[in-house]
Amino acid sequence: MTKRIDSSLLYTALVVLLLGVVHRSNARPRVNRPPGFMRFISNATDFASEDYYDYIIVGGGTAGCPLAATLSQSFRVLLLERGGVPYNRPNVMSHDGFLTTLTDVNNFDSPAQSFISEEGVPNARGRVLGGSSAINAGFYSRADKQFFENSGLVWDLSSVNQSYEWVERAIVFRPQLRTWQTAIRDALLEVGVHPFNGFTLEHKVGTKIGGSTFDRTGRRHSSADLLRYARSSNIRVAVYATVERVLLASSPSVSGSNVSAIGVVYRDQLGRFHHALIRDRGEVILSAGALGSPQLLFLSGIGPRSYLSTWGIPVALDQPHVGDFVYDNPRNGISIVPPVPMENSLIQVVGVTEDGAFLEAASNVIPFASPLHSVFIRAPASPLYVPVTTIMEKILGPVSIGLLRLASTDVRINPVVRFNYFSDPQDLERCVNGTRKIGEILRSRAMQDFMIREWFGNRRFRFVGAPLPVDQSNDLVTADFCRRTVSTIWHYHGGAVVGKVVDSDLKVIGVNSLRLVDGSTFNISPGTNPQATLMMLGRYMGLKMLRERMR
């Protein structure tokens, strides 16, 4: 038997967890000392108005940092990041600051930049060195076999494994399971998500403990840490550098392309423009993410001719598929208030089902204070700390296709995106299967300790927000639950996919010296969580490009 809580204050706790009320801890933040490689990171205001490099990388995010570190071994590299550094921000660097980082946002310089899809689903993108790997939940797991088979790239799997291992030696740790994650592990096994694969970084069907980019002390590590492997004499990193557009020039070549990238224009915090240009045989590489890279292609004049003309953008290349084939893996689930004390835990355990659903969980202790003021209490009320636990499912794929377009010619303004969640029946079927599996988990023995006991011995869950449908065997009712409660797990991708906008080497089709190395090229999400594969991609492509130059 289940019952919803009527308290509006407790419902506020759900909003904090899922939609973004700021969570602030009273604990004194631990001081995070900046790493030694900070010496080659400078504010963009310190850079010359014009300079030349072998490689210019736009976006110091999940893929951009390992790419820059790798290329700098042999060539002069400029890495441009529109945000700041993470190491002087306690909430970014702390496990317990995850919710605050996602929700304490502003328009132009917070580490997380919020946006809302046209469906009304709140979302976020990274705006800090390290990108989304510096603001996410830290779960680390390699891609599934299906990703490598369907990505459109021809992979050297030996180099893939070496690139994963390069990342893992630096920033991946084995998490310690506590109350909630242990219970989820046991529940998954009880309801048949077999086998138990133990701790592994590989994608495997069954229940497993994945890696974490939070160490044992709760300190975050991100792709920004991989810059420690850069050759300091060959790399410069500019923070608070907002790239306005890629500079393009007409230049017939043996490849048949009549347009070439020659550099970028970026603006510093004072509004001054800088020109970064590439040397002979150099390249511009966009690693600005699934929103930022398609947006920059549009603003640089690469996109559908008729569409760019409506914005008054000079057309350099009529490329009809920029901004198409955008995807976001929908997240659905439930949240409960347990009757027992609970720790903060982000995703550590995952259940990989054979029905196209991945099951994960988190727990948070959330402070909130009553807005009501009692005439009998003169002193300010102390916040009430409420534990909230969540079980969620993410679907494989997805196959529902969305669309990205400009909202402004100001690059600082988020583009407009519609993901069209569940527009393909296959996605909806997978969500229904995952939702039913959550129902099985709630009915497992492992979950009994998280139910409250009522008079006469009855036990029930104290739900916050929408509970699961009572009749989960009803396809229509369960599908309606999926549509009503859809949210994001922040794994959106696409917008410049392989075979449409870029080729199998991630070079922009029709433009010389311009590549994309980030999730905008993906037509499928890699496994349960993408950050491992994006960091691998940065290292992998860097090694591949070095080999190309050495031939």
Side-chain angles (χ1 to χ4, degrees):
M1 180 178 180
T2 60
K3 184 178 179 181
R4 293 179 69 176
I5 290 181
D6 292 328
S7 168
S8 62
L9 295 180
L10 200 50
Y11 186 78
T12 301
L14 176 73
V15 177
V16 171
L17 181 66
L18 298 182
L19 299 181
V21 175
V22 176
H23 164 236
R24 300 184 185 275
S25 171
N26 289 328
R28 179 176 295 177
R30 190 166 59 87
V31 175
N32 294 286
R33 297 183 183 278
F37 62 74
M38 289 285 288
R39 63 186 177 276
F40 54 73
I41 301 174
S42 303
N43 195 298
T45 55
D46 297 333
F47 280 65
S49 60
E50 182 175 302
D51 207 345
Y52 287 80
Y53 303 87
D54 295 301
Y55 292 99
I56 299 168
I57 301 171
V58 179
T62 312
C65 287
L67 176 63
T70 303
L71 290 175
S72 73
Q73 299 307 309
S74 300
F75 297 98
R76 189 167 192 243
V77 175
L78 173 65
L79 179 62
L80 297 168
E81 168 53 45
R82 67 195 183 115
V85 295
Y87 303 105
N88 58 356
R89 294 179 178 269
N91 284 322
V92 171
M93 296 302 297
S94 165
H95 177 279
D96 292 340
F98 169 68
L99 287 178
T100 304
T101 297
L102 280 183
T103 58
D104 192 4
V105 298
N106 59 45
N107 288 334
F108 296 120
D109 66 358
S110 55
Q113 182 179 7
S114 62
F115 69 95
I116 300 176
S117 73
E118 287 195 317
E119 296 94 336
V121 175
N123 214 317
R125 54 192 293 217
R127 184 171 50 197
V128 65
L129 195 65
S132 292
S133 74
I135 66 170
N136 66 15
F139 191 74
Y140 182 99
S141 182
R142 295 186 180 190
D144 55 315
K145 181 179 178 182
Q146 184 176 353
F147 170 79
F148 291 109
E149 292 175 346
N150 295 286
S151 65
L153 303 182
V154 179
W155 296 94
D156 176 346
L157 293 181
S158 175
S159 183
V160 165
N161 288 330
Q162 291 171 9
S163 297
Y164 274 129
E165 291 167 359
W166 180 82
V167 173
E168 291 154 9
R169 286 192 296 269
I171 64 168
V172 181
F173 306 87
R174 179 171 181 165
Q176 293 179 305
L177 303 192
R178 296 177 65 187
T179 305
W180 181 240
Q181 297 293 328
T182 299
I184 290 298
R185 178 200 63 193
D186 295 345
L188 285 167
L189 294 172
E190 187 179 334
V191 302
V193 185
H194 295 147
F196 179 53
N197 296 306
F199 170 71
T200 179
L201 303 180
E202 300 290 344
H203 182 94
K204 294 184 178 181
V205 171
T207 296
K208 76 164 195 172
I209 302 166
S212 176
T213 53
F214 290 101
D215 63 24
R216 293 293 180 92
T217 70
R219 183 180 188 272
R220 181 191 292 279
H221 298 262
S222 72
S223 70
D225 293 25
L226 300 175
L227 290 172
R228 75 178 67 169
Y229 297 119
R231 176 169 290 180
S232 60
S233 59
N234 273 354
I235 188 171
R236 296 202 68 190
V237 179
V239 294
Y240 298 113
T242 302
V243 175
E244 301 274 321
R245 67 186 185 277
V246 178
L247 293 172
L248 301 169
S250 298
S251 59
S253 69
V254 293
S255 68
S257 299
N258 294 319
V259 178
S260 294
I262 61 170
V264 301
V265 177
Y266 66 95
R267 189 188 301 216
D268 63 29
Q269 283 181 303
L270 301 178
R272 296 181 301 197
F273 288 100
H274 302 251
H275 291 73
L277 305 171
I278 55 175
R279 295 168 172 168
D280 184 45
R281 298 184 65 198
E283 292 186 40
V284 174
I285 306 162
L286 301 186
S287 296
L291 268 62
S293 288
Q295 180 188 28
L296 276 171
L297 289 178
F298 281 140
L299 295 175
S300 304
I302 302 172
R305 180 180 299 277
S306 59
Y307 176 72
L308 294 179
S309 297
T310 64
W311 283 97
I313 298 173
V315 179
L317 178 69
D318 183 9
Q319 180 18 289
H321 298 299
V322 174
D324 294 348
F325 303 100
V326 176
Y327 310 85
D328 189 26
N329 300 79
R331 170 172 60 99
N332 295 83
I334 53 89
S335 292
I336 59 176
V337 176
V340 294
M342 194 60 55
E343 70 280 353
N344 282 333
S345 76
L346 300 177
I347 298 166
Q348 297 173 333
V349 173
V350 64
V352 178
T353 73
E354 295 181 337
D355 298 323
F358 306 137
L359 300 160
E360 301 174 344
S363 59
N364 296 89
V365 180
I366 298 172
F368 67 94
S370 170
L372 304 178
H373 177 72
S374 170
V375 295
F376 300 106
I377 301 176
R378 298 180 62 87
S382 299
L384 175 65
Y385 289 84
V386 176
V388 178
T389 58
T390 300
I391 306 172
M392 65 198 94
E393 59 90 17
K394 163 196 168 177
I395 66 168
L396 177 72
V399 291
S400 299
I401 300 172
L403 182 71
L404 178 149
R405 290 293 184 260
L406 295 175
S408 168
T409 54
D410 184 343
V411 71
R412 298 172 299 175
I413 305 300
N414 285 315
V416 175
V417 62
R418 171 176 286 275
F419 293 113
N420 291 320
Y421 298 107
F422 302 126
S423 60
D424 190 292
Q426 187 175 353
D427 289 343
L428 195 57
E429 179 183 359
R430 287 171 173 167
C431 180
V432 168
N433 292 335
T435 300
R436 287 175 177 152
K437 188 61 71 173
I438 292 176
E440 294 178 32
I441 290 171
L442 291 177
R443 293 188 290 273
S444 69
R445 292 186 301 276
M447 289 289 105
Q448 296 303 301
D449 289 342
F450 303 96
M451 303 176 79
I452 64 169
R453 186 180 298 275
E454 296 183 313
W455 293 104
F456 309 113
N458 292 330
R459 298 170 70 91
R460 63 177 176 84
F461 289 109
R462 200 157 40 177
F463 284 102
V464 187
L468 292 183
V470 175
D471 183 8
Q472 293 154 31
S473 65
N474 187 313
D475 286 351
L476 293 177
V477 171
T478 308
D480 179 67
F481 171 84
C482 288
R483 292 191 184 95
R484 285 188 296 106
T485 64
V486 65
S487 55
T488 185
I489 200 163
W490 308 287
H491 295 171
Y492 52 89
H493 52 281
V497 299
V498 174
K500 300 293 184 180
V501 177
V502 298
D503 63 16
S504 58
D505 292 318
L506 302 184
K507 296 179 179 179
V508 175
I509 298 169
V511 183
N512 298 310
S513 305
L514 181 61
R515 287 192 214 226
L516 274 62
V517 179
D518 61 20
S520 70
T521 64
F522 292 174
N523 58 16
I524 185 172
S525 186
T528 59
N529 299 73
Q531 77 160 342
T533 300
L534 285 166
M535 286 189 273
M536 177 278 290
L537 180 70
R539 172 65 172 177
Y540 177 91
M541 288 303 300
L543 292 173
K544 182 176 181 178
M545 293 167 69
L546 288 178
R547 290 193 295 269
E548 289 175 357
R549 286 290 296 266
M550 297 304 179
R551 291 194 185 114

